[in-house]
Amino acid sequence: QPMSPPALDRTAKICLAKDPDERFQSAHDVKLQLEWIRDAGSQAGVPAPIVAHRKNRERIAWGAAALLTIIAIALAYGFIARAPMPAPVIVSQILPPPNASFASGGPTEGPPLISPDGTKLVFVAVGSDSKRQLWVRPLNSATAQPLAGTDGAQFPFWSPDSRSIGFFADDKLQRVDAAGGPTLALADTTNGRGGTWSSDGTILFAPAALAPIYRIPASGGSPQAVTKLNASRQETTHRWPQFLPDGKHFLFYSHGSNAQNSDGTYAASLDGGEPVLLIRGDSNAVYADAGYLLFIRQGTLMAQRFNAEKMQLTGDATPLVEHADVNSVVWQGIFSVSTNGILAYSAGGSVVGNVELLWLDRSGKQSAETGTPGDYSSPELSPDGRELAVRVVAAGTSYSNIWTYDLARGTKTRLTFSTASDGSPAWSPDGKTIAFTSDRSVQPHLYQKAADGTGSTTPLIVDDAREAYPDWSSDGRYVVYERESSQPGSHIEIWAVPLFGGRKPFPVVQNQQFNEVAPALSPDGKWLGYVSDESGRREIYVVPFLHGSGKWQVSTGGGGYPRWRRDGKELFYLSPDNKLMAVEISEQGTSLALGKVTPLFQVNSIIQVRGPYDVTANGQKFVVVSSGAPQVTPPLTLVVNWPALLKKQ
């Protein structure tokens, strides 16, 4: 436009420049330029100084912005480089001590346990000398150390500060420092089944295989029951307690004669109230501080979200690892977790379920085997020595039945067919009947069945007490057995029931302060061998049965599981270190003369409730539940940061 000021043409050209950097950088710059043209009048043809000034200022600003961007990128890179990466999952294995094996699959051991702070591992191991004790391995060390004074230890558990360990041994609940030192007895027990320790110094424990949960101060004292066996659910045991984070609520596992009605993990409170069923299963669940319940289902370790405040499970169970092992004898998963995300578990290969019935001579030399490997216990030879009755746990289940072997033909026949736990068979002297223990009626009682399998199972004794481990008198007129009253704090006694007349049971060995177990009548029916803890440890004693008086201590350094030679002139038993011992016995009028205790051979076997052996009539051969060759147990699997496994699903 010829009449427009030259400066206006210049302004328009700057606005239309192809290079964006050559244009005005904002509408405000254009406004200032136009105001200058308006006010300059005749001077409007002179280039406006603001354009060059603004141009330089913008170039400086853009340079500064670019520099700041470069600095920001450098700082972000440095932060990312230094930021902590997500913790990886680390899987490793822990071997047993040299010349020893992990003991976690039988009725008296317990799973290896990670300390709450995740720095140590405690476990039960059996050495080549069959000595069972606690071992502690710091996870920053390649070696484990045995804890002196813990011989025969069972089912250990940690204190909340990871400095002390509770365990069961010698019919006592005991504690010991993890670094070693003297042990302290806290309470009497018989076949204790797990404990847990709160931060306020309270211990919950199951004092017996057939008992509710009790509480006691960590310094010792008088136990008080905190759960009650529910008869309507046919419960026979509460075990494996575990405190929840508040120290007031806890978990426990319940088992009963009707598994579908009772078996599962429950939550309860120290203040009382009805326990809440959380999850059913044939082994216990364990609380992990990441907010999960861990449990084993069909060989897979599972995790499910759990709100410990509301006592509620949420979501679906997620698999963690496959091939996790369960101790089916005591319904316990062989795994543990720390508060900082470390998991330890057994990936199979436990001794239970893979033992053999071997024939050994007096030197321990093997002469034969009976049947294929399985989960056997309580072998009992028939009076004529032609058959063998034995307890067998069904594969993949928690129940057991009685089977009989025809030793000449090598055939096996199932005698009982319940979904309860049948065990401890005992032949009648004529070989026609087998008495046994079963918990098919809420708690263990005595039953009998024809040895040829015909007819039905009938009760010998079913009352409000617990009866177990029968043995017949030689004339078939009496059955002796263990009896434990249902009253809290009762001790085990030996009673007898006559199989004639009114059949009223009566006490044979009775003491209100000690436990008398494992009755074994001599072949002539005159003498009763048994085990008592009256001296402070279990020893073998013999007393007259139904005549005379007197008592003779047979063992000299502890013992269990007495068995008579068929002529009554020799008594066998197992020492605490699992050696088979023999003592000659002769009658002198109304008294007994005891010979020297002679060790025969080392029994390479799982310690069992009834006993892992029986002896032939002449005392020259023994049938032994054994692992055969020296045990080689698989290593434990250790998983650091196990919760990260859930994110991979």
Side-chain angles (χ1 to χ4, degrees), residues 1 5 13 77 111 172 216 231-232 309 314 352 364 371 392 445 510 532 586 637 643:
Q1 298 293 330
K13 290 179 179 180
Y77 177 80
K172 303 286 184 183
I216 192 174
S232 65
E309 295 181 357
T314 59
V352 169
V392 181
H445 298 298
Q510 189 177 41
S532 175
S586 60
T637 301

Side-chain angles (χ1 to χ4, degrees), residues 66-406:
L67 179 61
L68 290 174
T69 300
I70 293 172
I71 293 173
I73 292 173
L75 290 174
Y77 177 80
F79 173 78
I80 293 172
R82 293 192 305 270
M85 298 296 291
V89 176
I90 300 174
V91 180
S92 59
Q93 292 185 326
I94 293 181
L95 297 172
N99 302 316
S101 60
F102 293 122
S104 56
T108 58
E109 283 95 13
L113 294 182
I114 292 287
S115 61
D117 62 8
T119 63
K120 296 179 286 289
L121 180 74
V122 63
F123 56 87
V124 180
V126 178
S128 57
D129 58 357
S130 294
K131 183 178 182 180
R132 187 176 76 244
Q133 60 183 334
L134 293 182
W135 293 68
V136 173
R137 173 173 168 170
L139 295 186
N140 62 358
S141 172
T143 59
Q145 299 296 326
L147 287 181
T150 63
D151 292 0
Q154 306 174 17
F155 305 115
F157 57 95
W158 285 98
S159 64
D161 61 7
S162 302
R163 295 181 179 179
S164 300
I165 300 167
F167 65 98
F168 301 88
D170 298 326
D171 293 331
K172 303 286 184 183
L173 170 64
Q174 305 188 45
R175 59 179 288 183
V176 65
D177 287 346
T183 60
L184 175 66
L186 305 179
D188 293 334
T189 63
T190 54
N191 298 316
R193 289 296 182 259
T196 183
W197 197 327
S198 73
S199 57
D200 69 357
T202 298
I203 288 178
L204 299 182
F205 69 106
L210 301 169
I213 305 298
Y214 283 73
R215 66 183 295 176
I216 192 174
S219 58
S222 178
Q224 297 179 337
V226 294
T227 66
K228 183 179 180 180
L229 298 178
N230 189 314
S232 65
R233 289 197 294 265
Q234 297 177 283
E235 292 180 332
T236 59
T237 178
H238 290 168
R239 55 182 60 188
W240 319 133
Q242 182 192 13
F243 271 114
L244 292 173
D246 64 1
K248 176 181 176 182
H249 293 86
F250 61 95
L251 307 179
F252 68 89
Y253 182 76
S254 171
H255 173 73
S257 58
N258 186 335
Q260 294 181 345
N261 192 37
S262 61
D263 288 14
T265 297
Y266 291 74
S269 172
L270 293 178
D271 294 335
E274 184 67 19
V276 177
L277 174 65
L278 298 178
I279 188 168
R280 293 204 177 277
D282 56 9
S283 63
N284 66 316
V286 172
Y287 175 75
D289 284 80
Y292 290 87
L293 282 189
L294 271 58
F295 55 92
I296 296 176
R297 178 179 293 164
Q298 297 180 359
T300 298
L301 182 60
M302 313 287 290
Q304 188 169 357
R305 278 284 184 186
F306 177 64
N307 187 322
E309 295 181 357
K310 297 181 179 180
M311 302 295 159
Q312 291 180 351
L313 287 162
T314 59
D316 296 326
T318 302
L320 282 179
V321 294
E322 296 180 341
H323 310 301
D325 210 1
V326 170
N327 184 350
S328 61
V329 177
V330 294
W331 313 295
Q332 185 180 34
I334 307 179
F335 69 93
S336 65
V337 290
S338 68
T339 58
N340 60 350
I342 298 179
L343 164 70
Y345 71 95
S346 171
S350 63
V351 175
V352 169
N354 192 32
V355 296
E356 299 173 286
L357 293 170
L358 302 180
W359 286 96
L360 307 177
D361 62 19
R362 289 178 72 97
S363 67
K365 182 179 178 181
Q366 181 180 335
S367 60
E369 61 183 28
T370 298
T372 58
D375 193 346
Y376 305 117
S377 62
S378 308
E380 183 89 0
L381 287 165
S382 62
D384 60 10
R386 296 179 180 178
E387 294 183 88
L388 178 72
V390 66
R391 172 182 180 265
V392 181
V393 177
T397 73
S398 61
Y399 62 84
S400 60
N401 289 111
I402 308 298
W403 292 66
T404 59
Y405 280 92
D406 185 316

